[in-house]
Amino acid sequence: MLYILNKRFQLRGWDKLPFALCDTVTGFTLFMRKEDFMLICHCDGKHDINEEELTERGREILKEGISKKIITPCPEGGRLEKHQEYHKYDSRYIKSAQWSITGKCNFRCRHCFMSAPHAKLGELSYEECLRIIEEMGKCGIRSVSLTGGEPLIRKDFFDIVDELIRHNIIVESIYSNGKLVTDDFLDKLEERGLKPTIHMSFDGVGWHDWLRGIEGAEKMVTDAYRRCQERNFDTTCEMCVHKNNIGSFRETMLLLSELGCRSLKVNAAAPMGEWTKTSSEFTLSLKETYDVFLDYIRIFYEEGMPINLWLGGFFKCDRGETGYRIGNCKYAEGYDCSQKSVCGHARNSLYISPEGYALPCMTIANTKMKEDFPNILRTDLSDILTDSTYMSLVDLRLEDYLAHNEKCQNCEFKNRCGAGCRGVAIGETGSDYLMPDEEVCFFFHSGYDKKVREVADEAAAKVKQKQNSIGEKP
């Protein structure tokens, strides 16, 4: 029997991960064992596959491939398309990129860490953007999230999108303040067959205009959410809390849920960038932030878990679910994680700054440390993703971090915290990627891991009790 690979799938490989099946629609990459991969490779319309001669494992792979419509029986003469044929990239695997296509913005946000209101980091030319897209394509990056600044202010925004499409790079999400998320904008996405997640910030009912520095910003973003809801675009949100807006959480969460927003991520305003110049007196201390988050957990459960909620690394729970996760608790008590990567996020996702720097995360873009990292306009991305400062940090293990930080070596929480977050550890003035994450240190040493569990378990128990009393399934 002749079989052939569905046209949406490609055969790919990377350094250290040579056998992969890639879905061009979803961007998902399945890494496979060599034997399984070779069977899929023979589903090319040319090789006759006799099921009776296959191993039991081979028959399972074939059956699963057919049931999931990865492969189909093929009439004689069928052939793989050129883009489906096996290609091995000369770099390490990075699934996606978050790309700031501009450092400029049409708002004047009080807390902008990259000082976009003053265009501190500038903007690359269209030709330079084409170079970056070409480099991403050469390295097999499957998807991209476009951000800024405000990415929609670029007049060549859709030219950039079209070039990404031409390189088979999926536009997974678009970050915006919402002002330019118009019907015309959504029309142009749909004309290209795109339905990316639209991620917008909303900083509290009654307080959004104040933080964003633009009169009418709150109406603009709520209108944008409503427009996306009506047209079936997935939306997510980020809220920045400070001393003024901490009481607006309940109303904000319920409004976002009503507007069809899928998830809400809440972080406190950080003493970086514009915030240090304009509004530092409204900064919440770490203890104040964590105590506010404990209250938010109670409110979230009281309101019936109406939205997926992330409170930094403090607490994560999905809509309608009572179970939760504490992001700061990376590993279980007693688990040996010495060989775990210090930053798993950077292993899968690359951040590209408005100036073209390849960075582990966005927070480094406005620090002096960024110049320690390679720039894609000066160094081929394949080289960056093979042997560079970026890759040396991607490959950094917890044992290396502990060797660098004497105070962490004997800490009772060293395995559970897993070195915390590198972006938070660096801050605005830091110059050492291996500095301790003081926020996570405070979290554990002040007992907030236990406090979160106590508050969440008690609140979840009340929800289950209420559900049981009215005959609902917990």
Side-chain angles (χ1 to χ4, degrees):
M1 173 73 74
L2 297 174
Y3 294 91
I4 195 162
L5 198 61
N6 186 306
K7 290 182 180 181
R8 67 188 280 177
F9 294 99
Q10 300 172 323
L11 302 167
R12 293 293 184 266
W14 287 264
D15 182 32
K16 300 184 185 300
L17 293 168
F19 311 116
L21 185 64
C22 299
D23 188 334
T24 61
V25 175
T26 65
F28 180 73
T29 299
L30 175 65
F31 293 101
M32 307 177 70
R33 299 190 307 184
K34 181 178 180 179
E35 296 78 7
D36 299 343
F37 184 74
M38 293 309 298
L39 175 58
I40 297 297
C41 285
H42 284 155
C43 297
D44 59 359
K46 295 188 293 185
H47 290 80
D48 188 12
I49 297 175
N50 186 340
E51 292 187 41
E52 293 182 0
E53 296 179 356
L54 296 177
T55 63
E56 183 178 349
R57 171 70 180 176
R59 288 192 291 273
E60 289 176 1
I61 292 296
L62 188 66
K63 183 179 179 181
E64 185 177 6
I66 294 170
S67 68
K68 293 184 176 180
K69 298 182 179 179
I70 295 172
I71 57 175
T72 58
C74 174
E76 193 166 344
R79 294 292 183 269
L80 293 180
E81 295 185 4
K82 187 68 177 176
H83 76 93
Q84 294 182 278
E85 295 175 358
Y86 180 71
H87 177 76
K88 187 171 184 291
Y89 299 103
D90 296 325
S91 66
R92 296 279 291 276
Y93 172 76
I94 292 287
K95 177 187 177 184
S96 62
Q98 184 181 28
W99 182 17
S100 285
I101 59 175
T102 181
K104 300 177 181 180
C105 189
N106 51 355
F107 276 18
R108 296 190 293 273
C109 301
R110 292 171 176 264
H111 66 308
C112 182
F113 75 92
M114 66 167 59
S115 298
H118 305 295
K120 181 179 178 180
L121 302 186
E123 180 179 281
L124 296 181
S125 68
Y126 178 63
E127 289 70 28
E128 289 171 321
C129 288
L130 294 184
R131 163 72 189 276
I132 289 177
I133 294 170
E134 185 77 22
E135 290 295 306
M136 286 194 285
K138 287 178 180 178
C139 293
I141 290 179
R142 312 301 302 168
S143 63
V144 66
S145 295
L146 300 177
T147 184
E150 171 53 50
L152 305 192
I153 65 172
R154 286 195 67 128
K155 297 186 185 305
D156 55 8
F157 176 84
F158 278 104
D159 294 325
I160 291 172
V161 168
D162 289 339
E163 195 66 17
L164 288 165
I165 293 172
R166 193 174 74 81
H167 282 79
N168 296 313
I169 300 172
I170 296 168
V171 180
E172 187 173 29
S173 58
I174 296 171
Y175 289 68
S176 174
N177 57 40
K179 181 178 180 179
L180 299 177
V181 180
T182 62
D183 279 316
D184 179 63
F185 170 73
L186 298 179
D187 285 343
K188 289 178 179 177
L189 289 175
E190 289 183 329
E191 287 167 7
R192 290 163 170 80
L194 300 179
K195 278 277 189 177
T197 295
I198 308 298
H199 181 94
M200 296 176 282
S201 295
F202 184 56
D203 302 299
V205 173
W207 284 104
H208 190 68
D209 289 10
W210 179 83
L211 192 65
R212 297 291 158 176
I214 295 290
E215 186 177 350
E218 182 169 333
K219 184 178 186 308
M220 292 174 196
V221 74
T222 52
D223 284 350
Y225 273 112
R226 191 168 287 107
R227 191 173 295 119
C228 289
Q229 181 183 31
E230 291 170 352
R231 301 185 57 161
N232 200 32
F233 276 82
D234 180 50
T235 55
T236 56
C237 179
E238 188 154 349
M239 177 181 178
C240 184
V241 293
H242 46 82
K243 288 184 177 179
N244 284 332
N245 72 347
I246 54 176
S248 67
F249 172 73
R250 187 190 302 266
E251 188 177 0
T252 301
M253 176 182 64
L254 292 175
L255 175 60
L256 288 167
S257 175
E258 178 188 324
L259 293 172
C261 182
R262 173 168 54 87
S263 68
L264 170 62
K265 186 175 182 180
V266 184
N267 284 303
M272 299 177 68
E274 293 300 292
W275 191 253
T276 59
K277 305 171 188 175
T278 63
S279 308
S280 58
E281 69 269 30
F282 302 110
T283 304
L284 293 165
S285 69
L286 203 48
K287 183 179 186 307
E288 288 172 328
T289 299
Y290 288 167
D291 288 343
V292 164
F293 282 177
L294 290 176
D295 288 337
Y296 285 3
I297 293 172
R298 295 186 184 96
I299 294 170
F300 174 71
Y301 281 110
E302 286 172 5
E303 294 296 346
M305 306 84 71
I307 195 170
N308 295 346
L309 179 66
W310 291 39
L311 301 175
F314 197 83
F315 173 85
K316 181 181 184 295
C317 187
D318 290 339
R319 178 178 180 270
E321 300 292 331
T322 52
Y324 61 89
R325 184 167 64 86
I326 302 174
N328 286 340
C329 298
K330 288 187 182 179
Y331 306 108
E333 191 77 45
Y335 178 77
D336 180 12
C337 52
S338 60
Q339 293 304 307
K340 290 291 185 180
S341 174
V342 168
C343 184
H345 174 77
R347 183 66 195 86
N348 290 294
S349 182
L350 166 75
Y351 172 68
I352 303 172
S353 79
E355 301 159 297
Y357 286 100
L359 304 173
C361 65
M362 180 182 276
T363 53
I364 301 177
N366 197 28
T367 70
K368 58 185 179 182
M369 180 179 274
K370 71 180 179 186
E371 295 182 5
D372 294 337
F373 289 84
N375 191 298
I376 301 172
L377 299 177
R378 297 190 287 270
T379 305
D380 289 348
L381 186 55
S382 60
D383 291 335
I384 293 172
L385 298 182
T386 301
D387 182 17
S388 68
T389 306
Y390 180 86
M391 287 309 300
S392 67
L393 294 178
V394 166
D395 288 333
L396 198 69
R397 306 299 165 181
L398 184 60
E399 66 177 5
D400 301 316
Y401 167 83
L402 292 174
H404 186 78
N405 291 284
E406 186 176 351
K407 81 171 217 174
C408 298
Q409 292 170 13
N410 298 315
C411 177
E412 61 180 305
F413 304 112
K414 65 182 179 183
N415 285 331
R416 295 184 67 195
C417 85
C421 173
R422 299 298 82 219
V424 173
I426 292 167
E428 184 174 31
T429 58
S431 57
D432 183 358
Y433 190 79
L434 293 179
M435 293 172 65
D437 177 351
E438 298 296 344
E439 291 188 10
V440 171
C441 291
F442 182 81
F443 176 83
F444 282 105
H445 286 284
S446 299
Y448 278 96
D449 57 329
K450 297 182 178 66
K451 293 176 185 178
V452 170
R453 296 184 196 282
E454 290 170 359
V455 169
D457 289 346
E458 181 182 353
K462 289 180 180 178
V463 170
K464 291 179 180 179
Q465 184 179 26
K466 181 179 179 181
Q467 289 173 338
N468 290 334
S469 68
I470 59 176
E472 293 183 7
K473 184 179 177 180

